[in-house]
Amino acid sequence: MNKHLNIYNTHISPNASTYVNEVLQSTFISEGKKVKEFEDKLNTYLRIQNPLALNSGTTALHLALDVAGIKEGDEVILPAQTFVATGLVILQQKAKPVFADINYQDGNISLESIKQKITSKTKAIICVHWGGYPCDLKEINALAKQHNILVIEDAAHALGATHNNQAIGCISDYTCFSFQAIKHVTTGDGGALAIKDKTKFKEAFSKRWFGIDRNTATPTELGERSYNIEQLGYKYHLNDYAAALGLANLENFKERLLHRKNIIDLYNAHLNKITGIQLFQYKNDRESANWLYGFHVEDRSNFIRKLKEHQITASVIHQRIDRNSVFGGLTKNLINQQKFDNSQIHIPIHDAISIEDAEYIIDLIKRGW
Ligand SMILES: *Cc1c(COP(=O)(O)O)cnc(C)c1O
């Protein structure tokens, strides 16, 4: 095989250019009926509750914190095992990120560690579904309720995942999705925020467009819309040409998820028996969106090198984000995080990986590194 197997890919549906072109031809490219159609589809097809389409996953996280009322002096608990966006939005609100430990076996935030990090200043917990595998949402939500804390899910990896047969996007107070180029479903850049509370939903709806409610602020006789901005808003909405791309990419999303699952089943069945590899351990009360395929490996540098020699990318994803000085220095005593950092590795899983590719990768790993 001389094809290069990348760790990520960008999936563009064959219908995408037609749908996007229709929007371009219409010359109405900003937020309009395609955005609404995209939101409706997220709801009917994936059971995401009250999804608001936005221009990135990061803005979804930021808007969630904003309408949740997170402000200076508040503490927000999060894992360091994530992409920097999860932590930066907390700083944008001038609140304090408090890093909790993770579970070594799956990379998700640890319930026990959250318990230890809760103080009187804690206002929210952001949990990240690592690689698409849902966190312990039942326990986390119960704990949060007990302490009057909000739960915000960073579900950037978890579009289409379920927990106790409930869709990710209808469980916690806030759920944030990303439609960035390499995520499951892309709109180029884009995101969605699902909000349970109807009042908060309305607030977020207006704040995604400067704080103006597009539904009620209609043009007057003078031509301009009539509005009075009472609360600081943002320019966070999605546009119709991006929504058209998203609609095309959503069309056979469940079949694509199944393809990922088949490949992962194959990986698991074979890599399970290999000395030097320890698979992540998953519970069967939840279904991962399988955005990533990771495990623990011994002698990691040689493993990466060996696969690279055969045009296959194996990669660490991501290094703990508290290593960035903007967060004020490494959090001490994140024991599992440290262990996870030392041995985690991820190998290719995406739409362009065929069963044959997966078999090739498995054979190669079986030969040793
Ligand atoms: C991709 C990603 C984000 C940010 O999403 P964007 O759409 O790129 O802004 C946030 N959190 C995690 C865990 C991600 O993987």
Side-chain angles (χ1 to χ4, degrees):
M1 182 167 318
N2 44 28
K3 158 172 146 189
H4 192 117
L5 300 177
N6 277 321
I7 192 94
Y8 304 117
N9 88 329
T10 295
H11 176 82
I12 304 290
S13 149
N15 289 335
S17 54
T18 310
Y19 292 7
V20 174
N21 214 16
E22 276 168 17
V23 174
L24 298 181
Q25 294 295 321
S26 79
T27 74
F28 189 98
I29 62 171
S30 65
E31 189 208 317
K33 61 176 194 283
K34 284 290 158 190
V35 169
K36 183 76 180 69
E37 205 179 310
F38 182 58
E39 289 171 339
D40 288 346
K41 182 98 187 241
L42 290 172
N43 175 257
T44 54
Y45 184 52
L46 297 176
R47 294 179 285 145
I48 295 169
Q49 207 173 32
N50 303 327
L52 266 176
L54 303 171
N55 54 16
S56 77
T58 307
T59 58
L61 285 162
H62 182 245
L63 193 56
L65 291 176
D66 181 296
V67 300
I70 307 301
K71 55 183 191 319
E72 191 161 2
D74 293 343
E75 293 180 359
V76 178
I77 297 174
L78 78 163
Q81 187 58 41
T82 183
F83 180 58
V84 288
T86 320
L88 292 179
V89 293
I90 301 171
L91 296 179
Q92 285 170 11
Q93 285 303 98
K94 301 192 165 27
K96 186 182 172 205
V98 175
F99 293 100
D101 208 355
I102 55 171
N103 307 317
Y104 176 73
Q105 73 275 13
D106 59 25
N108 281 345
I109 195 164
S110 146
L111 181 70
E112 289 312 309
S113 182
I114 296 173
K115 284 181 189 166
Q116 288 162 18
K117 302 275 173 172
I118 291 176
T119 72
S120 58
K121 291 182 181 164
T122 310
K123 290 289 156 58
I125 300 163
I126 304 185
C127 54
V128 179
H129 307 307
W130 186 252
Y133 175 73
C135 295
D136 297 323
L137 288 174
K138 207 172 135 212
E139 294 81 0
I140 292 170
N141 272 292
L143 179 70
K145 203 168 174 194
Q146 198 186 323
H147 291 270
N148 202 18
I149 296 169
L150 293 162
V151 175
I152 300 169
E153 295 177 40
D154 180 340
H157 299 179
L159 187 74
T162 60
H163 187 281
N164 286 320
N165 289 319
Q166 273 188 296
I168 295 299
C170 71
I171 299 171
S172 305
D173 304 296
Y174 299 89
T175 310
C176 307
F177 296 96
S178 165
F179 307 123
Q180 189 263 345
I182 57 168
K183 299 288 161 62
H184 291 96
V185 166
T186 186
T187 57
D189 261 313
L193 170 60
I195 304 180
K196 277 216 153 159
D197 184 87
K198 270 273 181 309
T199 314
K200 291 292 181 188
F201 172 81
K202 274 196 178 153
E203 186 181 333
F205 177 80
S206 101
K207 280 183 167 176
R208 83 170 167 186
W209 199 60
F210 306 109
I212 302 168
D213 185 336
R214 265 194 150 130
N215 287 341
T216 55
T218 46
T220 66
E221 237 180 340
L222 297 174
E224 267 257 280
R225 285 175 190 266
S226 157
Y227 57 80
N228 170 38
I229 296 174
E230 294 164 18
Q231 280 183 303
L232 180 63
Y234 304 94
K235 187 176 159 75
Y236 280 179
H237 64 274
L238 191 69
N239 280 322
D240 268 19
Y241 65 93
L245 175 54
L247 280 163
N249 286 336
L250 265 181
E251 271 176 350
N252 59 351
F253 177 57
K254 287 186 184 169
E255 288 74 19
R256 294 202 285 122
L257 276 184
L258 195 62
H259 176 68
R260 282 173 182 262
K261 188 177 179 315
N262 289 337
I263 287 184
I264 280 180
D265 286 347
L266 193 66
Y267 278 154
N268 284 336
H270 290 273
L271 302 185
N272 189 18
K273 305 173 195 117
I274 295 176
T275 317
I277 285 180
Q278 194 185 356
L279 298 185
F280 289 175
Q281 285 160 39
Y282 292 153
K283 295 176 186 157
N284 55 17
D285 62 349
R286 59 202 85 171
E287 195 71 55
S288 176
N290 294 319
W291 188 60
L292 297 173
Y293 183 74
F295 48 84
H296 295 288
V297 70
E298 286 170 19
D299 203 359
R300 185 167 63 188
S301 296
N302 272 339
F303 183 88
I304 295 171
R305 240 174 269 135
K306 175 75 189 292
L307 265 60
K308 197 172 177 186
E309 278 168 19
H310 294 83
Q311 282 76 49
I312 296 158
T313 309
S315 176
V316 166
I317 307 175
H318 299 292
Q319 291 177 293
R320 58 190 288 181
I321 66 164
D322 60 343
R323 76 186 200 287
N324 294 282
S325 50
V326 72
F327 296 116
L330 278 186
T331 304
K332 293 194 179 68
N333 298 323
L334 301 185
I335 309 294
N336 290 335
Q337 179 69 64
Q338 218 168 325
K339 260 179 77 187
F340 190 91
D341 286 344
N342 291 338
S343 58
Q344 61 117 323
I345 193 73
H346 293 76
I347 64 172
I349 172 73
H350 50 72
D351 299 281
I353 300 287
S354 65
I355 293 284
E356 293 71 32
D357 294 334
E359 284 167 347
Y360 176 75
I361 294 174
I362 290 165
D363 273 349
L364 198 64
I365 295 173
K366 276 184 177 166
R367 281 190 261 144
W369 57 95

